[in-house]
Every structure is written in structure tokens, then in C-alpha cells.
Amino acid sequence: MDDLLEELRAGLPADALITDPDVTATYAHDMASFCDAGAPAVVVLPRTVEEVQHVMRTATALRVPVVPQGARTGLSGAANASDGCIVLSLVKMDRILEISPVDRIAVVEPGVINAVLSRAVNEHGLYYPPDPSSWEMCTIGGNIGTASGGLCCVKYGVTAEYVLGLEVVLADGRLLNTGRRTAKGVAGYDLTRLFVGSEGSLGIVVKAVLALRPKPPQQLVLAAEFPSAAAACDAVCRIMERGHTPSLLELMDRTTVRAVNAMASMGLPESTEALLLCAFDTPDPAADLTAVGELCTAAGATGVVPADDAAESELLLHARRLSLPAMETIKSATMIDDVCVPRSRLGAMIEGTAAIAGRFGLTIGVVAHAGDGNTHPVVCFDHTDADESRRARESFDEIMALGLELGGTITGEHGVGVLKKEWLARELGEVGVELQQGIKAAFDPLGLLNPGKLF
């Protein structure tokens, strides 16, 4: 420990190191339940690339594991510390280095908050689409590490589609540049995509070149009530089959709607079994919403209400963003799953989740990026009740098993981390795991970067 601190201090300013165990303990974990976390030896908050390189050279020389972190809003334990590790928090590297309206790119450090970047590029008439629900808190580096998504993915895609190039500090301290800042480029293997979603296990992202789009028109939102989740999912299939491209297509089940009303008095219809929110940011969104409203009615909607203006639309979106916080008020703890299935199997996924909730005697609300087939079943439980905690964990696993049975994946946007690494092996298969472990060994032969995650 003394050698580690002495070596780190040789290349870092005094205020970049935290050694007080009461403070370092607050950096031990992200927001996931049921994920073990160790006690870090030290927390380092660098401000420059050179300082990150010094940390990694020190870690390599002394064989000390390093756990990179952003805002720790993750839900898989990917940012959890291991005993005796260096926690490398990148939140102080928070500069927007460049915004280019001509090239339609932004160059940023990893600690930039998603919402801060979004507002900054909006001032230039540009748009950075990825918008995780935690966008007011989460960092771009964390978004890249977990390949995060958000509400707009049905039209605009996930984080990986907006990362053009990266500057990465490798495990031994070398600096690697990947990708490009041009509109096109196919030189060599796509190492940029390899780092996106790698959860800090291959290198430390210290700079990112991000693609931007022209700022779209203000979107309008439609809310449709359904007598069953199956009917709402039928509407989703009809919307996508007819070739519509909504900017948002979200589903909240009855449990979620009631939780949001109880927490924030939003006035959402509690008689509904499923509430579908659909938005368009096209030049004539009202016409698009009318067409979608007709499809919802044909699928059995009992009520279809298009928003009159941007303010009413934002109120509906605010209700959707409150879904997870509202579910957290039901019990003392939650487990938030992240299973993505083909759109055509979305109804089966939601109905199957309801059956799992019944078998285990638990409250499980479902909110979904319905246009992507990405469901977020939220398992509510009393963490002081050992039996209820066990049932919560078992139900969580059954939900993931159901997703795989339906041709889906164990995570659409939250990552693997500690929480789902056993399930990653099931999804990838033996050959897939072997190859991915070989890639990890090529970048990090000593196994120092975020050990215990993914595999």
C-alpha cells in the first residue's frame, strides 16, 4: 500500500488522490443490487491523459487492479471495486473539446455528462441522440463503457452508432488512437466498436469523437391506453410493420403507471393495463400520430390521446422517465432487468414476466423501449427479508432465461458487469467465450483492468 501511494503521488497532484477509507467506500459500487463490491486501496481522480497513463504504468509495475468509473449510475455492477484496487474515476475529465457543425462531430473527454453535451450541441443546431434515462447524471465515458441506449433508440440507435473514434490508455500506459473523425473510414479492424460495451476491461477511454445529427423538429407524443399488454404489443407490431419510424415508442404496464401516479400525481389512467407512448419528430408529427392512433385503435386501444403541444408531450415523457424512480418506492430494493427480445415476441416476454411475478409472489413492473423489444422488468423486494430477497434473485434469473428462450439477449443496454456474467456465458456459448477471453488477454495480459467483470 505504501509503495502504491508513493508511486502514484510521484506523478499526480495531491488533490487527485483519495485515501480516507470512509470516502473511498463511497466509490465501491454502482446502483446494481446483488453485486459484490470490494474495498479500494485508493481512488484517483485524474484531469489529464498523462495522469491516466501514470496510473496505468504504476498499476502494471506493481500488479494492482484498476477499476474505471464514471458517474456510477450503472445497473450491472460493472463499476464495482475489487479489494485493494485503484478506483480510477474519470469524472474530472469533463471538457467538451470541440463541436464542429461542418463535420457534425463533437470531441469530448469521458467525464462529460450526457445532458450537458446534448444541450451544448443543440446550441449549434445539432443533436446527440443517445439519451439514457439517467442522462442528467451519467457520463459519456460510462455510456461508451456499457454501450447504453435510451428512449430514442427505435429511430436513432444506440451509443455504438455514434462513436467514431477513441483515444484509449491501455493497461501498460500506452496511448492508442482508434477510428476516425471523417464521415467514412474502414481502415483495419474496427477497434472502436470493440471498446464500446467493453466495460473498461480493455482500456481506459480518455477522449471520444462522437457523431452528431442535425437537430430534429420538436417531437409530439401520443398516449394510448390498452386493456392488455398483449394488445399494446400488437399495436407496436402494427406500427413497425407499416413502416412508421417513431422517435420514441415506449410501454408502461399497469404496475408502473400506478407507481408513477402515486409518486408524482401525474394523472395517468390507472384503469389501463398498458400505456403506450409514441412520438414523432417529423415535419408533420400530427399526421404521423393520427396514422398511429388508428393502428392503436385497430389493435384494441380503449383510449388514444395525442398531445396538443410540446409542453404536453414533455409531461408525458417526464412520466416515462419517472418509471424507475417510482418503482423504487414500492419496496426497499429493486432489481432492474434489461432483456431485449425480437419485437414480434415482446407480448410473450411481458406476459411471461407477469407469470413469473405470480409464481414468486412478487411485484414486478415492466417498462419497455417497445420499439426495440427492450424490456426493463423491475423486481421489487424487501432487502431485509432473506426469503423475499432469494425469490427476487431467482425471478430475475427466470426472466433472463425467458428472454433467451424467446430469441433475445440478456442485456440490451445496461451491460453485463458482475450481475449477468454467468448468463453471458450461456448466451455466447463455449466458443464465443473462448474468443472473447482471448481478446481480453491481448489487450490486458495481466488481467488488471476491471477484473471479475464480464467473464
Side-chain angles (χ1 to χ4, degrees), residues 258-282:
R258 291 191 170 193
V260 170
N261 277 343
M263 186 179 82
S265 301
M266 295 295 294
L268 299 176
E270 294 201 358
S271 60
T272 186
E273 290 297 319
L275 184 67
L276 193 65
L277 301 179
C278 181
F280 285 90
D281 58 5
T282 52

Side-chain angles (χ1 to χ4, degrees), residues 7-58:
E7 290 295 327
L8 288 173
R9 288 185 179 119
L12 296 170
D15 64 356
L17 292 172
I18 300 175
T19 57
D20 182 337
D22 291 334
V23 180
T24 60
T26 66
Y27 288 82
H29 55 82
D30 63 16
M31 298 178 68
S33 300
F34 291 107
C35 294
D36 293 334
V42 60
V43 174
V44 181
L45 295 100
R47 294 182 182 272
T48 69
V49 173
E50 291 75 19
E51 289 173 6
V52 175
Q53 289 181 283
H54 174 71
V55 171
M56 293 314 306
R57 291 184 186 116
T58 300

Side-chain angles (χ1 to χ4, degrees), residues 40 43 151 194 204 217 295 348 390 395 442:
V43 174
L151 306 188
L194 189 59
I204 312 295
L295 293 175
R390 174 191 58 79
S395 71

Side-chain angles (χ1 to χ4, degrees), residues 45-269:
L45 295 100
R47 294 182 182 272
T48 69
V49 173
E50 291 75 19
E51 289 173 6
V52 175
Q53 289 181 283
H54 174 71
V55 171
M56 293 314 306
R57 291 184 186 116
T58 300
T60 294
L62 299 179
R63 304 299 195 264
V64 178
V66 176
V67 176
Q69 290 183 348
R72 303 194 311 282
T73 57
L75 294 166
S76 68
N80 284 14
S82 54
D83 284 331
C85 76
I86 299 170
V87 162
L88 187 59
S89 175
L90 299 159
V91 295
K92 300 291 187 183
M93 297 180 69
D94 59 357
R95 295 179 299 162
I96 298 175
L97 302 171
E98 179 186 354
I99 296 173
S100 173
V102 173
D103 294 325
R104 293 183 183 173
I105 61 169
V107 183
V108 305
E109 292 182 326
V112 172
I113 301 295
N114 184 294
V116 171
L117 174 64
S118 295
R119 294 183 183 118
V121 302
N122 284 351
E123 293 178 5
H124 296 266
L126 297 169
Y127 178 45
Y128 180 67
D131 64 340
S133 294
S134 59
W135 77 306
E136 293 281 5
M137 299 178 289
C138 63
T139 64
I140 295 298
N143 295 169
I144 292 171
T146 57
S148 61
L151 306 188
C152 70
C153 295
V154 61
K155 179 174 183 177
Y156 292 104
V158 295
T159 295
E161 294 168 62
Y162 294 89
V163 183
L164 297 178
L166 295 171
E167 195 168 278
V168 181
V169 175
L170 298 176
D172 58 8
R174 289 179 297 164
L175 191 63
L176 170 69
N177 284 284
T178 76
R180 64 195 193 279
R181 53 181 291 145
T182 55
K184 297 163 68 176
V186 294
Y189 295 129
D190 191 349
L191 296 182
T192 302
R193 279 288 184 116
L194 189 59
F195 280 103
V196 179
S198 66
E199 301 183 12
S201 64
L202 302 179
I204 312 295
V205 172
V206 290
K207 187 185 296 183
V209 180
L210 304 174
L212 305 174
R213 288 177 174 245
K215 186 178 178 181
Q218 178 68 50
Q219 64 182 357
L220 285 181
V221 179
L222 171 147
E225 304 174 49
F226 289 88
S228 68
C233 293
D234 180 31
V236 170
C237 292
R238 291 171 186 244
I239 291 166
M240 302 308 293
E241 185 179 25
R242 292 294 181 90
H244 292 288
T245 309
S247 55
L248 172 148
L249 190 55
E250 298 288 305
L251 184 149
M252 300 163 64
D253 73 353
R254 179 184 182 183
T255 300
T256 307
V257 167
R258 291 191 170 193
V260 170
N261 277 343
M263 186 179 82
S265 301
M266 295 295 294
L268 299 176

Side-chain angles (χ1 to χ4, degrees), residues 268-434:
L268 299 176
E270 294 201 358
S271 60
T272 186
E273 290 297 319
L275 184 67
L276 193 65
L277 301 179
C278 181
F280 285 90
D281 58 5
T282 52
D284 187 9
D288 290 309
L289 291 182
T290 297
V292 164
E294 293 172 355
L295 293 175
C296 288
T297 299
T302 55
V304 176
V305 182
D308 292 326
D309 52 31
E312 191 174 344
S313 294
E314 186 53 40
L315 189 64
L316 289 169
L317 295 184
H318 180 60
R320 164 60 184 86
R321 291 186 187 276
L322 286 178
S323 295
L324 298 184
M327 291 298 295
E328 291 171 351
T329 67
I330 293 177
K331 289 276 190 171
S332 65
T334 58
M335 289 190 74
I336 303 171
D337 217 326
D338 170 41
V339 176
C340 192
V341 297
R343 295 185 193 101
S344 58
R345 309 308 302 276
L346 181 62
M349 183 68 204
I350 294 177
E351 289 182 344
T353 299
I356 291 169
R359 285 203 306 275
F360 284 92
L362 295 167
T363 297
I364 304 178
V366 178
V367 62
H369 307 308
D372 308 323
N374 193 175
T375 66
H376 293 309
V378 184
V379 182
C380 305
F381 64 100
D382 181 353
H383 75 284
T384 66
D385 184 325
D387 181 67
E388 194 164 308
S389 296
R390 174 191 58 79
R391 285 184 280 126
R393 181 65 211 226
E394 291 178 1
S395 71
F396 185 89
D397 286 344
E398 285 211 12
I399 290 168
M400 285 192 286
L402 173 63
L404 290 180
E405 289 169 12
L406 294 174
T409 176
I410 60 167
T411 175
E413 58 188 4
H414 291 172
V416 175
V418 176
L419 189 61
K420 295 188 174 184
K421 63 181 186 178
E422 294 177 8
W423 284 92
L424 178 64
R426 299 192 196 190
E427 180 171 332
L428 295 180
E430 184 177 346
V431 174
V433 169
E434 181 182 342

